[in-house]
């Protein structure tokens, strides 16, 4: 039996799928102001409801709705480049939690796009700065050229750990982007989420260890996949916007759609995504409501107007309803269900992994060797997540030209998933609702969607 859990601040919604395909749904409310401790208690109550003769093989969580950015006493951005900006006008704005004190430290160093050292790291200057640095600060380190050579970032982090007594250290090379600003912003957001993610993981593990000791534990990711729950405490930004993509995956599973467009109606809005080779099409980075980019892959979701403009004729529409919802007659045939699409998506979402690397690309043989190496890395990591090697599918595997017309390097990108066959008794949880007669209006018209993820 597999369990998917969608966590909100007021309740947790779960869907269980037994080996024979039988589907059950549960909603457990959380006490007011219960916090993470109340979430753990609700989970224990939920698992008590699902004690069967079948062993629980996996539990997958969607926690994007309860991940919170937490302010530190101070955040310090260590920026490593051949020289500091000429004046404040050329200073990139720092991405930090509102209300934090922010320091920006410029240290000489950095590498070219081919990995060659531009300027030696000025380690002595960083050590001198550490002597007056505030203790317990959160640090974000960004170096020019770190996607191909992270040595200056790693060395700077070691100096901070040895001399500055930091609260945490985050490295921009952990996130793939050709933009220094995007890598730094993503590292800063990720750093601000780690305390919240650690609380969630710390609350879950004792409960799950007692109730389902043999189950594998996963958390959904922004592109419509999942990876081990333990990774949430390290890379929470990759699960921050996962709820909508999980709902899309759940809707596609109910519609038995492996290719094509799927539209999801939840609450008061509709959004749509496209499935290619059984997985959502993905956008390489997420943009916040202010337009700032984050280096995390997300399902490419499109908001649909209440009038249905932009919705392809062949799109499958799946609607999530609740007790008390105004079940208006749809203007097109829809599949209607009372299940939490997010929780169902968590059950059926595939294991997923990405690998990006900037590599020398002077010959075809070098590039092919890099592709093979990254493909092997993705396969090995998916197997370590619990995937069977024969079920791994590489959805993407190729090269991209590097920025700034650098002909000596290319970016290799590999996306792998593992799709396990899961039987679903769809007929018991889905109703096919025909379109309303022509000329009759829907009470849903005029409403807007709030389900396309924003930060």
């Amino acid at each position: 039996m597999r369990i998917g859990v969608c966590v909100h601040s007021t309740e947790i919604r779960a869907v269980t799928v037994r080996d024979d395909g039988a589907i059950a749904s549960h909603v457990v409310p959380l006490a007011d102001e219960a916090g993470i401790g109340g979430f753990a208690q609700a989970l224990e109550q939920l698992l008590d409801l699902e004690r069967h003769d079948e062993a629980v093989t996996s539990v997958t969580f969607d926690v994007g709705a309860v991940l919170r950015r937490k302010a530190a006493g101070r955040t310090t951005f260590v920026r490593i480049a051949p020289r500091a900006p000429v004046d404040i006008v050329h200073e990139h704005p720092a991405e930090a939690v509102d209300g934090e004190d922010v320091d920006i430290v410029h240290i000489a160093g950095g590498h070219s796009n081919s990995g060659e050292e531009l300027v030696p790291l000025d380690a002595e200057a960083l050590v001198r700065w550490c002597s007056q640095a505030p203790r317990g600060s959160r640090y974000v380190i960004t170096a020019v050229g770190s996607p191909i050579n992270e040595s200056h970032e790693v060395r700077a982090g070691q100096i901070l750990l040895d001399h500055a007594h930091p609260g945490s250290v985050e490295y921009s090379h952990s996130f793939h982007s050709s933009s220094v600003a995007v890598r730094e912003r993503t590292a800063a957001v990720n750093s601000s989420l780690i305390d919240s993610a650690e609380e969630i993981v710390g609350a879950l593990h004792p409960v799950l260890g007692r109730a389902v000791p043999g189950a594998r534990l996963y958390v959904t990711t922004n592109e419509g996949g999942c990876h081990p729950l333990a990774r949430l405490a390290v890379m929470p930004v990759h699960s921050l916007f996962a709820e909508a993509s999980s709902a899309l995956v759940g809707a596609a599973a109910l519609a038995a759609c492996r290719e094509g467009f799927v539209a999801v109606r939840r609450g008061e809005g509709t959004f749509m995504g496209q499935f290619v080779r059984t997985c959502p099409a993905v956008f390489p980075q997420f943009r916040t409501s202010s337009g700032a980019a984050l280096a995390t892959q997300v399902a490419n979701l499109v908001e649909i107007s209440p009038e249905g403009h932009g919705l392809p004729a062949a799109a499958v529409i799946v609607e999530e309803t609740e007790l008390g919802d105004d079940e208006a007659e749809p203007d097109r045939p829809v599949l209607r269900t009372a299940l939490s699409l997010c929780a169902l998506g968590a059950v059926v979402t595939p294991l997923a992994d990405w690998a990006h690397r900037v590599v020398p690309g002077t010959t075809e043989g070098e590039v092919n060797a890099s592709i093979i190496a990254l493909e092997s890395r993705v396969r090995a990591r998916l197997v370590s997540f619990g995937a069977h090697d024969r079920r791994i599918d590489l959805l993407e595997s190729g090269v991209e030209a590097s920025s700034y017309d650098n002909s000596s390097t290319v970016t290799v990108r590999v996306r792998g998933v593992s799709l396990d066959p899961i039987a679903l008794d769809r007929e018991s949880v889905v109703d096919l609702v025909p379109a309303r007669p022509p000329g009759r209006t829907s009470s849903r018209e005029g409403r807007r969607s709030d389900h396309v993820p924003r930060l």
Side-chain angles (χ1 to χ4, degrees), residues 407-443:
S407 59
S408 64
T409 61
V410 294
T411 298
V412 179
R413 184 169 89 164
V414 177
R415 177 191 182 190
V417 298
S418 174
L419 292 168
D420 289 341
I422 302 176
L424 293 177
D425 182 11
R426 300 179 182 87
E427 289 74 14
S428 64
V429 293
V430 174
D431 294 323
L432 175 60
V433 182
R436 68 174 182 268
R440 191 180 301 175
T441 60
S442 169
S443 62

Side-chain angles (χ1 to χ4, degrees), residues 76-80 103-107 125-126 129 139-140 142:
T76 302
F77 293 82
V78 179
R79 294 174 173 172
I80 303 171
D103 292 320
I104 298 177
V105 181
H106 294 282
I107 301 295
L126 185 55
W129 184 86
Y139 288 88
V140 176
T142 307

